[in-house]
Amino acid sequence: MNSTFRLQHVHEPLLEFGGGARHQDVRFGLIDHGPVDFSMQATRTVRVGVIGSSETVDGFREWFARCEDEIPAKPSRQPNLFPAFPGSGINGPFRCWFEIDGHHQRVLRPASLSKVTGEERDDLAIRMAVELFEEEIRDLSELDRPPQVVVCALPVELIERVKNLRTTEESERSPMVEEASEEGEDQDSEDERNARLYEDFRGALKAATLAYKVPIQIVWPSTYDERAVIRRKLAKLSTRRVQDEATRAWNLFCALYYKAGGTPWRMVRERDEFSATFLGISFFEDLGRTTLRTSSAQLFDERGEGLILKGGRALRDKTDRHPYLAEEDTYALTRNSLTTYKREWGTYPARLVVHKSSPFHREETAGFEAAIDELGIDQVDLIWLPRRSPVRLVRDGDYPPLRGTAMRLDREAALLYTRGSVDFFATYPGLYVPNPLMMRAHRRDRSDWDMLLKETMALTKMNWNNTQFDGALPITMRAARQVGEILKHVAEGQVPDPRYRFYM
């Protein structure tokens, strides 16, 4: 059989920063132009609360103050990959003040921490740890002038008790560990169990504090103290390297700025393009980890705003066992997502792009179409993003293909290297051979693939927990796991805050 493949390179998308300026790199764009919502008319102050043991509160506050001055760059032959952190003051990349008021810090009692670490049952230890922090977060949220974001500075002994033995790219982590890429080896069953225990703690804590309307940031001691040692049970995890200090500062202060209500950067939309929003549909296990799964929707727009909604129960396709939603549940989730969008921004988008982690079932298609027809959405693209691509490309030399390399397989399918060699970094910054993203169009109202490829590349840069721009997954799919780990702890009938800053 003869096949014709079209190979192309998608140029690195630009992002928008202060004053409408553009740059391809997050950090250099912020240094040169400030955040996209920066205004000369008013000076922003980000009020940060902190909760932890006396040791972690003091340690974090000392490093927080140190970051007011420049943190030197890591010695490297790739200076664009490891820039210095200019400092967190008013002349820094975020053009604001970050402050920790004495009224916004809480020190946990040693006796309370000892009860958690001494509890033999994992589920009870996690519940007790969550209650410790929840009580203090509630107290801070009830102040006349509450903090805008709260740092949960976890003590080492608590981390070890809830078995936080690894971090993953999709879940929140303190910005201190160099990540294995998504192409790394699968974890063994014991490691998966230990990671799941930490995710239970993280998810339960985030869910328990949603009602207080104050986003939280979980921070490990390794963020501010490279000498901190957290025992790891598995030998293969003992060699994970701590990120350089400047990178840790970049990642942390960017997350704090976004969670406090700021918008560091956003996607660029040209004047002749339709206003678009991007909806990710994914599935997660219930708290009881039964075979049934629940759906969630991650809705993002070009402005960097994200909205999260919980959907209905998933069904299983009898042929391929992929999860899917019934027509009425798909209709309800889509309509609720777009209605929430309109409530936030006053209008519906002209175009909807749906990313889904499993194939589109005919019932789902009918549900999507019913919702968009009712709401008058002009264009829709339904894109299936399989987790793994069966095809890889090989490039001459020692480096993998360039990020942005794309190959059209047929009219409805394309490969896209969202990770790969990056000219701006003058290297490939990953640890493993990258796996391209497979994109399959179930419905495509756009007449060409170029826009879909460009948008997907841009969506990989919309991660406010990490200022290195070469993410592997678009934010619609990247957010799926961390959102699911939180929503499964939300009781049926409870309507959680939809803003993404509470879930990252």
Side-chain angles (χ1 to χ4, degrees):
M1 181 177 67
N2 294 325
S3 298
T4 301
F5 302 113
R6 179 190 171 193
L7 194 64
Q8 65 183 103
H9 181 255
V10 180
H11 293 293
E12 192 63 55
L14 299 178
L15 298 171
E16 184 178 344
F17 297 90
R22 301 179 181 186
H23 202 287
Q24 66 174 296
D25 184 84
V26 170
R27 293 164 292 191
F28 288 92
L30 289 169
I31 290 172
D32 294 343
H33 310 292
V36 70
D37 61 351
F38 171 68
S39 172
M40 295 290 291
Q41 309 305 316
T43 301
R44 183 194 295 265
T45 297
V46 175
R47 302 188 303 275
V48 181
V50 57
I51 302 170
S53 66
S54 59
E55 182 179 0
T56 61
V57 168
D58 288 345
F60 180 78
R61 289 201 62 163
E62 289 175 5
W63 187 72
F64 190 87
R66 166 175 161 72
C67 289
E68 292 178 6
D69 299 320
E70 179 179 298
I71 304 295
K74 169 184 176 180
S76 173
R77 290 180 295 178
Q78 288 87 29
N80 285 353
L81 183 57
F82 301 106
F85 179 67
S88 62
I90 191 65
N91 295 318
F94 300 100
R95 310 295 199 265
C96 71
W97 299 108
F98 292 86
E99 68 172 22
I100 300 177
D101 188 282
H103 297 292
H104 292 160
Q105 68 178 42
R106 295 290 185 272
V107 176
L108 302 173
R109 295 171 55 243
S112 299
L113 288 170
S114 295
K115 287 183 180 179
V116 175
T117 57
E119 173 56 52
E120 294 185 359
R121 285 181 51 181
D122 291 333
D123 58 339
L124 290 181
I126 290 171
R127 184 188 308 169
M128 293 165 63
V130 168
E131 289 174 352
L132 271 183
F133 282 93
E134 181 189 1
E135 180 180 354
E136 302 298 344
I137 293 167
R138 180 177 60 248
D139 182 53
L140 289 173
S141 72
E142 293 173 349
L143 295 175
D144 291 337
R145 191 170 179 266
Q148 295 163 298
V149 57
V150 172
V151 169
C152 296
L154 303 186
V156 169
E157 61 270 25
L158 187 145
I159 295 172
E160 292 175 346
R161 179 61 195 92
V162 297
K163 293 184 173 61
N164 189 347
L165 300 184
R166 72 176 177 93
T167 58
T168 60
E169 187 167 6
E170 292 84 6
S171 63
E172 180 190 40
R173 65 248 178 249
S174 59
M176 83 298 182
V177 174
E178 291 190 357
E179 305 163 356
S181 81
E182 293 178 346
E183 290 73 38
E185 296 178 359
D186 293 334
Q187 303 294 333
D188 61 37
S189 58
E190 184 177 18
D191 191 17
E192 287 175 348
R193 175 180 175 274
N194 291 325
R196 191 166 61 238
L197 288 171
Y198 171 68
E199 288 168 349
D200 281 348
F201 165 72
R202 175 192 175 275
L205 179 59
K206 295 267 188 176
T209 57
L210 284 174
Y212 307 131
K213 306 296 183 183
V214 180
I216 64 174
Q217 176 73 21
I218 297 174
V219 170
W220 285 22
S222 306
T223 301
Y224 51 84
D225 184 1
E226 295 181 2
R227 298 168 300 177
V229 177
I230 299 172
R231 290 176 298 183
R232 288 178 166 81
K233 192 172 182 181
L234 300 180
K236 70 179 180 180
L237 296 176
S238 63
T239 58
R240 295 178 74 88
R241 297 171 292 173
V242 174
Q243 285 182 334
D244 65 283
E245 187 177 19
T247 298
R248 301 197 307 270
W250 270 112
N251 292 345
L252 178 66
F253 282 92
C254 183
L256 294 178
Y257 185 81
Y258 178 74
K259 291 186 178 186
T263 305
W265 63 86
R266 64 185 174 196
M267 293 169 59
V268 172
R269 178 167 64 88
E270 304 298 344
R271 292 184 178 180
D272 60 344
E273 295 177 358
F274 285 102
S275 63
T277 194
F278 304 89
L279 178 65
I281 303 291
S282 59
F283 303 93
F284 59 91
E285 291 180 333
D286 295 340
L287 189 58
R289 296 193 171 87
T290 61
T291 55
L292 289 177
R293 296 181 171 217
T294 304
S295 63
S296 65
Q298 297 82 231
L299 189 71
F300 294 89
D301 65 11
E302 302 108 324
R303 288 169 288 195
E305 297 295 336
L307 300 173
I308 306 300
L309 292 97
K310 188 175 183 179
R313 296 283 181 178
L315 305 175
R316 287 281 189 183
D317 189 281
K318 295 180 179 180
T319 303
D320 57 19
R321 304 297 296 163
H322 284 296
Y324 72 95
L325 285 174
E327 178 178 347
E328 57 271 24
D329 287 332
T330 307
Y331 164 82
L333 186 56
T334 307
R335 192 182 190 286
N336 289 343
S337 299
L338 293 172
T339 301
T340 303
Y341 177 97
K342 183 180 180 181
R343 187 164 57 246
E344 293 284 332
W345 306 116
T347 184
Y348 291 118
R351 178 167 166 259
L352 174 67
V353 181
V354 179
H355 291 162
K356 191 164 175 287
S357 56
S358 58
F360 287 86
H361 192 276
R362 62 181 180 275
E363 288 194 43
E364 289 176 323
T365 303
F368 283 123
E369 292 177 347
I372 61 177
D373 288 345
E374 177 181 317
L375 300 178
I377 307 299
D378 296 322
Q379 293 188 4
V380 63
D381 297 300
L382 305 180
I383 309 298
W384 171 33
L385 301 176
R387 182 64 179 170
R388 295 287 182 181
S389 167
V391 180
R392 291 190 182 185
L393 304 179
V394 178
R395 179 186 177 195
D396 286 340
D398 297 328
Y399 288 92
L402 291 172
R403 169 176 152 89
T405 299
M407 186 172 71
R408 288 277 305 280
L409 300 178
D410 53 43
R411 187 179 182 278
E412 305 304 337
L415 291 178
L416 176 63
Y417 270 86
T418 53
R419 299 222 67 197
S421 302
V422 179
D423 282 339
F424 188 76
F425 295 154
T427 189
Y428 167 55
L431 300 177
Y432 299 91
V433 177
N435 196 52
L437 189 67
M438 173 70 78
M439 302 175 62
R440 294 190 178 277
H442 181 79
R443 169 176 168 176
R444 182 164 58 90
D445 289 353
R446 293 290 308 192
S447 60
D448 61 79
W449 268 93
D450 291 348
M451 177 60 72
L452 291 172
L453 295 172
K454 175 186 172 184
E455 288 173 339
T456 304
M457 283 279 288
L459 287 167
T460 66
K461 305 173 84 160
M462 303 300 287
N463 175 22
W464 301 276
N465 256 340
N466 191 339
T467 53
Q468 184 175 310
F469 66 72
D470 64 327
L473 293 173
I475 189 64
T476 47
M477 293 289 97
R478 179 191 295 271
R481 180 172 180 176
Q482 63 193 47
V483 167
E485 291 298 330
I486 297 168
L487 286 181
K488 72 183 181 183
H489 293 275
V490 175
E492 291 294 332
Q494 178 183 348
V495 180
D497 195 300
R499 289 169 292 177
Y500 175 58
R501 65 187 78 250
F502 290 94
Y503 297 82
M504 60 177 279

